[in-house]
Amino acid sequence: MSERLPANVKRAQDPGGRALLRLEHEQDAAEVSLCGAQVLRWQHAGGEVLWTASQPKYAAGQPVRGGVPLVFPWFGDHATDPKLPAHGFARNRTWTLVHANDTPEVVLELTDDEATRAMWPHSFRLRLSVVLGAKLRLGLTVENTGGEPFAFEAALHSYFVVGDVRTASVHGLEGLPCTEQAAEPEAQWDRAQPLRFRAETDRIFQGVPERLELRSPALARTVTLLARDARSAIVWNPWPAKTAKLSQMAPDDWQRFCCVETANVREHAVRLGAGEAHRLALAIACEPA
Ligand code: BG6
């Protein structure tokens, strides 16, 4: 697109000098990196909504630990080849700005090339729309531009500021089928109750409702996630032992965030025929509790 951007969408750089787009709406702003189409920040009247690790690295071809990295086309480790990047390659690639308007909205695009086809032999077009208003709205469209069907997993891997994770809770996942992937999980918990963080937590929920709530009493606020065409949710906090093994983290970083990911993974991987498209959408609201 031509470089004439609306007044409330500005080009800027992150602390590592990587290109980003800054969207402004009233007192709020959001920053979207062209690296990985990652939303890095959402500065909201109620404070920062998205968490960033305390030793962030803004390096070419790498996601920052925080904000909303994108997971595509596989979730977690690759099923057969451990050398391929965890959570797929979309978060490591440079995306292109294809549209901006004064809503404000930006649309970023990634298509297959030789390097992506070497990791995943399919033709695709990804588009991420980011809209800043009273809510932050994200829409991830995946289009099969090839001649053969494919299946993919995808997630908006959102990191949220919670103040103190030990007092935070996630509402809306009660009673749903769930797989716990943590190495040192809570021994047992009441699945009929809202999710509380009492140990390393890495749970994949399936058949999730459209609306989830993340309550953060330490900040006296509630984040509401309203999703469309997302059948899975992953709730993650690494607790101290796993935190020590993670990049960009200080030892006590685990206390201040959790991830609630809006996703289609495992049995809810999406199948697309030639020419078909799928759109996963998320609207995030942050309000005083
Ligand atoms: C979560 C996974 O989605 O992402 C966790 O469920 C994983 O198992 C976490 O540790 C972070 O992954 P990464 O690759 O960004 O360190």
Side-chain angles (χ1 to χ4, degrees):
M1 63 172 285
S2 88
E3 265 307 308
R4 194 170 303 157
L5 296 175
N8 52 1
V9 177
K10 298 187 172 75
R11 285 220 178 237
Q13 291 186 343
D14 68 23
R18 308 179 318 165
L20 63 76
L21 296 154
R22 183 179 164 85
L23 285 66
E24 294 168 348
H25 171 77
E26 298 175 357
Q27 302 308 308
D28 297 355
E31 292 179 353
V32 188
S33 175
L34 292 197
C35 181
Q38 181 175 3
V39 178
L40 295 176
R41 298 179 71 177
W42 177 20
Q43 297 165 275
H44 181 269
E48 295 282 348
V49 181
L50 302 172
W51 184 80
T52 307
S54 55
Q55 298 161 4
K57 285 209 176 68
Y58 297 90
Q62 294 296 326
V64 177
R65 188 171 298 285
V68 189
L70 298 181
V71 173
F72 174 90
W74 59 83
F75 176 80
D77 294 334
H78 187 270
T80 56
D81 187 348
K83 292 193 295 297
L84 291 176
H87 287 330
F89 48 75
R91 65 180 181 166
N92 303 326
R93 312 281 306 170
T94 300
W95 292 50
T96 309
L97 176 66
V98 292
H99 175 76
N101 65 45
D102 65 0
T103 304
E105 175 184 27
V106 293
V107 181
L108 278 63
E109 183 176 280
L110 179 74
T111 53
D112 59 290
D113 61 15
E114 216 171 299
T116 67
R117 288 191 296 274
M119 294 184 272
W120 195 65
H122 302 290
S123 298
F124 65 85
R125 177 181 299 117
L126 298 185
R127 285 200 167 185
L128 183 79
S129 151
V130 180
V131 175
L132 181 64
K135 297 178 181 176
L136 181 70
R137 295 175 189 275
L138 307 179
L140 178 66
T141 303
V142 180
E143 191 182 339
N144 180 348
T145 54
E148 302 292 328
F150 63 62
F152 67 91
E153 296 176 296
L156 304 173
H157 191 309
S158 313
Y159 286 76
F160 292 104
V161 174
V162 290
D164 181 352
V165 77
R166 290 160 295 200
T167 58
S169 55
V170 182
H171 299 246
L173 299 168
E174 299 84 70
L176 295 180
C178 148
T179 311
E180 173 62 273
Q181 314 183 95
E184 298 176 31
E186 197 176 349
Q188 54 183 19
W189 68 92
D190 184 349
R191 290 172 187 240
Q193 295 301 315
L195 186 154
R196 299 291 304 269
F197 296 89
R198 299 191 180 95
E200 181 187 344
T201 303
D202 193 351
R203 297 181 197 164
I204 302 178
F205 292 87
Q206 298 290 13
V208 302
E210 291 192 339
R211 183 191 161 92
L212 299 178
E213 259 182 37
L214 170 60
R215 296 188 191 163
S216 301
L219 303 173
R221 76 184 191 196
T222 296
V223 166
T224 304
L225 294 90
L226 204 54
R228 200 167 317 135
D229 287 328
R231 312 285 301 280
S232 318
I234 299 94
V235 180
W236 180 58
N237 179 279
W239 230 242
K242 185 163 177 183
T243 298
K245 299 180 194 155
L246 293 171
S247 64
Q248 306 179 37
M249 297 275 230
D252 60 355
D253 268 6
W254 64 275
Q255 295 175 17
R256 292 183 284 271
F257 83 97
C258 69
C259 288
V260 180
E261 305 173 38
T262 303
N264 287 300
V265 300
R266 307 289 191 256
E267 62 263 41
H268 288 304
V270 178
R271 271 155 239 290
L272 286 182
E276 289 181 347
H278 176 273
R279 186 169 195 271
L280 174 162
L282 172 66
I284 310 171
C286 178
E287 276 151 0

